[in-house]
Amino acid sequence: MYQKVKAYMKEHGMVVDGDVVLAGVSGGGDSMAMLEMLKRYQAEAAFSLCAVHVHHGIRGEEADRDERVVRETCEKWTIPFLSYHYPVPELAKKWKMGLEETGRKVRQDAFSRAEADYFGKSETADLQGGGRVSAAREGKLRIRIALAHNENDVAETLLHNLCRGTGLKGLASILPVRDEIIRPILCLNKQEIVNYLIKEQIPYVTDSTNLTDDYTRNKIRHQILPILEEQVNASAVRHMAETASLVSQAEEYLSRQGERLVKKYGENRERGIFLSEAFWRDEPAIASYGVLQVFEELAGKRKDFTAAHVKSVESLLKLQVGRRINLPYDLAALRTYGGILLGERQLLGMSDRNLSPKEYDPVKAEKNQERNALQKSVQLSKKELETACEQVLFTDNVFYLKIFSNEGQKIEEKKYTKWLDYDKIEKNPYIRTRRTGDYMVINAQGNTKKLNRCMIDEKIPSEYRDSIPLIACGKEILWMVGSRMNERYKINPQTRKVLVLNYQGGNENE
């Protein structure tokens, strides 16, 4: 078995001279067999080895026994030993996680601590490979984390995910090497490991929780896999592991194609990542992988994003502009013109709508919208406007306002400069952002249209609508800056006074 593992490690380049290998050792048969093989391999490759044990604070005396066995074995084999204790049940409550997820998190933390402690301890202790520690600290050596997964773990994971519902990623193999993680005994099945433990007389302990069928994985391990091997195919586990490896290669290829699709049809915007409708039309089978790439880029992780989330994003294409959905890690997807925008909920204006339908209160949301609008509101006093040219600061941008008599001058209106009939403005106008009930007069007959409908007609993305400056009198909008103005206030031969508005937040030449 050792020769098989050695060849497997060489095939995948798991360890090279000068590496520092931190081996996760629970005391169970798999990890103890792995540790012994790594120790043997040190005679052929000049790498440093340290055992890392995590005490989860769950199984009382049994957990203490596990730690003791690993420590004593490491002393016998002259392998540096580091142990870390965590009160996992307490942390699970504090972090509002399950025990399994909390266990994964503390194990990750333990390896981070082990790396620092190993190098720190090496300055005062003669650890194996200690002469290369300073180089490793400077980043010249690799840190490798060895985990004791085997072929049965691959088969269990494949069956577990298949039964729960999964895409190719859930069927893919546990990889022999991923980043700094290596799995030296992934080429062995459980029976091969048991035989090796007996032959080499390697001490190990048995976790009592692994003997029960309280967990789904244990049921697969104790009931389903044995039936498959006894009644279907004696090599069922190996064949499933081989299939999972092939699926991994396909998954890797499709992920690269999804990334290519995002680069082709995606666009980084201030509020997130925009995917055009062509993104889904070009290669529909690849699009889901691209969406997962976007999830990972925005959240910094892909965990908890499922095929259901991908489908819900795609379903927005069939809905009207402005519809949106929530996603894990405070992300959201918004249907906008020409595609879908993905980003943080707050940036997409979902501070209220990130609640579930039962929790969402439209009255409260409307009040919040009114309150937020009031915070972005500047009054333009008619008295002050009539006495001097006024400069007004609004959300870090400047408006220039001027009143003069209409003598038939040529109207030089641009996108960010408008001339209005001042005599028709009955109240003090305001510069503000939109509020519920806003409207505009859209033609000479005096017909009106809701501002939100006007914005939709102008194809203004919904994520920008709350930030567009408006010139308003009460609920009537005189000018939607950068876009259309109210028909009722346009200059005509009867106009006596003209109000000129110039917005410096846009392009001066427009």
Side-chain angles (χ1 to χ4, degrees):
M1 291 299 106
Y2 167 71
Q3 293 300 326
K4 182 177 181 179
V5 169
K6 184 177 74 171
Y8 186 70
M9 291 179 67
K10 287 184 175 181
E11 177 188 354
H12 295 282
M14 292 189 184
V15 179
V16 298
D17 288 356
D19 282 353
V20 176
V21 178
L22 303 177
V25 185
S26 66
D30 298 343
S31 63
M32 294 298 283
M34 178 188 71
L35 184 65
E36 193 272 348
M37 290 184 184
L38 287 171
K39 176 64 177 175
R40 289 180 65 176
Y41 193 44
Q42 274 192 303
E44 304 179 49
F47 66 91
S48 302
L49 176 62
C50 177
V52 179
H53 178 81
V54 180
H55 190 302
H56 295 82
I58 295 178
R59 293 178 292 116
E61 292 182 2
E62 187 176 285
D64 296 337
R65 174 210 63 186
D66 296 353
E67 181 183 39
R68 184 172 60 255
V69 169
V70 178
R71 178 185 288 108
E72 292 174 352
T73 303
C74 286
E75 290 175 357
K76 180 179 178 181
W77 291 349
T78 64
I79 298 175
F81 172 76
L82 293 171
S83 182
Y84 299 94
H85 288 231
Y86 294 89
V88 169
E90 295 177 22
L91 293 174
K93 292 180 181 179
K94 179 180 179 181
W95 296 338
K96 297 180 180 180
M97 295 179 178
L99 289 177
E100 187 175 355
E101 186 177 1
T102 304
R104 283 196 299 268
K105 186 173 182 179
V106 300
R107 287 192 292 274
Q108 292 171 355
D109 180 72
F111 280 110
S112 296
R113 291 171 60 187
E115 181 179 341
D117 291 345
Y118 178 79
F119 290 128
K121 185 177 180 182
S122 65
E123 294 178 348
T124 57
D126 184 20
L127 298 181
Q128 194 159 1
R132 292 185 289 271
V133 167
S134 60
R137 179 177 288 168
E138 294 171 3
K140 296 178 181 178
L141 299 181
R142 297 189 307 176
I143 302 297
R144 311 299 264 172
I145 296 174
L147 303 180
H149 292 105
N150 57 61
E151 285 184 344
N152 289 64
D153 294 316
V154 175
E156 290 168 15
T157 300
L158 186 151
L159 289 175
H160 192 208
N161 290 340
L162 185 63
C163 293
R164 292 193 308 171
T166 182
L168 286 183
K169 188 173 182 64
L171 300 178
S173 177
I174 299 172
L175 299 177
V177 178
R178 191 188 69 182
D179 300 326
E180 77 279 8
I181 295 175
I182 61 174
R183 297 181 171 90
I185 62 170
L186 195 60
C187 58
L188 304 180
N189 62 42
K190 189 67 176 179
Q191 190 57 53
E192 288 175 315
I193 294 172
V194 170
N195 294 340
Y196 186 78
L197 290 168
I198 296 171
K199 179 183 177 182
E200 301 298 330
Q201 297 183 338
I202 299 171
Y204 68 95
V205 295
T206 300
D207 183 340
S208 61
T209 60
N210 289 334
L211 300 177
T212 70
D213 287 340
D214 294 339
Y215 301 98
T216 302
R217 278 188 174 275
N218 285 0
K219 292 176 183 177
I220 295 173
R221 182 179 304 148
H222 299 150
Q223 300 178 30
I224 299 175
L225 286 181
I227 290 176
L228 291 175
E229 290 183 309
E230 293 168 7
Q231 301 183 26
V232 179
N233 190 311
S235 300
V237 167
R238 177 138 299 160
H239 292 328
M240 281 189 277
E242 291 170 350
T243 299
S245 180
L246 292 174
V247 173
S248 289
Q249 296 174 38
E251 168 74 14
E252 185 178 345
Y253 170 77
L254 292 171
S255 293
R256 289 198 303 269
Q257 295 305 305
E259 187 175 357
R260 179 191 60 79
L261 208 62
V262 172
K263 289 180 179 178
K264 184 176 180 180
Y265 295 109
E267 176 186 340
N268 286 318
R269 293 187 176 180
E270 184 178 353
R271 299 191 183 191
I273 297 175
F274 173 79
L275 297 176
S276 69
E277 293 174 358
F279 170 84
W280 280 273
R281 290 198 302 266
D282 192 339
E283 297 185 60
I286 305 297
S288 60
Y289 290 89
V291 174
L292 287 171
Q293 291 282 347
V294 174
F295 287 162
E296 187 169 6
E297 183 174 344
L298 292 171
K301 61 185 78 174
R302 192 178 292 193
K303 185 181 181 295
D304 295 329
F305 289 106
T306 66
H309 294 120
V310 173
K311 284 186 178 180
S312 64
V313 170
E314 185 178 358
S315 68
L316 287 173
L317 293 170
K318 300 177 182 179
L319 303 178
Q320 65 186 28
V321 170
R323 295 297 296 272
R324 58 194 77 192
I325 59 166
N326 289 328
L327 296 165
Y329 302 109
D330 291 324
L331 298 181
L334 171 68
R335 179 66 163 108
T336 186
Y337 292 103
I340 294 172
L341 183 65
L342 295 102
E344 296 180 15
R345 292 180 193 172
Q346 188 174 4
L347 292 179
L348 297 186
M350 297 181 67
S351 56
D352 286 307
R353 294 184 187 272
N354 59 5
L355 302 173
S356 68
K358 291 184 178 179
E359 296 173 311
Y360 178 63
D361 184 346
V363 176
K364 181 179 178 181
E366 183 173 325
K367 289 181 179 179
N368 288 340
Q369 184 180 8
E370 294 282 359
R371 184 184 68 250
N372 294 335
L374 287 171
Q375 293 172 352
K376 295 182 178 180
S377 179
V378 177
Q379 184 183 40
L380 305 176
S381 168
K382 292 192 68 174
K383 183 177 181 180
E384 293 179 3
L385 283 173
E386 291 170 2
T387 57
C389 175
E390 187 172 359
Q391 175 181 319
V392 178
L393 182 67
F394 179 77
T395 61
D396 296 327
N397 293 300
V398 178
F399 277 89
Y400 289 98
L401 306 97
K402 183 179 179 180
I403 295 177
F404 58 84
S405 297
N406 180 23
E407 298 177 357
Q409 302 96 322
K410 180 181 178 181
I411 299 176
E412 298 182 353
E413 291 193 15
K414 299 178 182 179
K415 186 175 182 179
Y416 292 101
T417 301
K418 293 297 178 185
W419 290 29
L420 283 73
D421 190 328
Y422 180 73
D423 294 324
K424 293 180 180 178
I425 300 176
E426 299 174 354
K427 303 176 183 179
N428 290 326
Y430 281 80
I431 304 175
R432 62 171 175 80
T433 51
R434 67 172 179 165
R435 300 177 187 173
T436 303
D438 285 345
Y439 69 93
M440 296 183 76
V441 175
I442 58 171
N443 55 34
Q445 289 72 41
N447 294 324
T448 64
K449 183 181 290 186
K450 290 183 179 180
L451 177 66
N452 188 55
R453 187 68 250 177
C454 292
M455 289 181 167
I456 292 174
D457 293 344
E458 293 291 311
K459 299 191 181 303
I460 298 173
S462 61
E463 65 266 26
Y464 299 127
R465 294 173 194 167
D466 285 330
S467 61
I468 294 176
L470 306 169
I471 307 300
C473 280
K475 295 290 185 181
E476 186 178 12
I477 303 304
L478 282 57
W479 178 32
M480 183 166 53
V481 175
S483 186
R484 69 188 299 173
M485 65 173 285
N486 191 309
E487 289 289 327
R488 192 160 78 92
Y489 296 91
K490 288 189 173 181
I491 304 299
N492 59 50
Q494 287 73 44
T495 300
R496 293 180 303 163
K497 289 184 179 181
V498 176
L499 170 62
V500 178
L501 298 168
N502 174 246
Y503 177 61
Q504 294 297 307
N507 190 322
E508 294 182 2
N509 297 318
E510 292 187 279

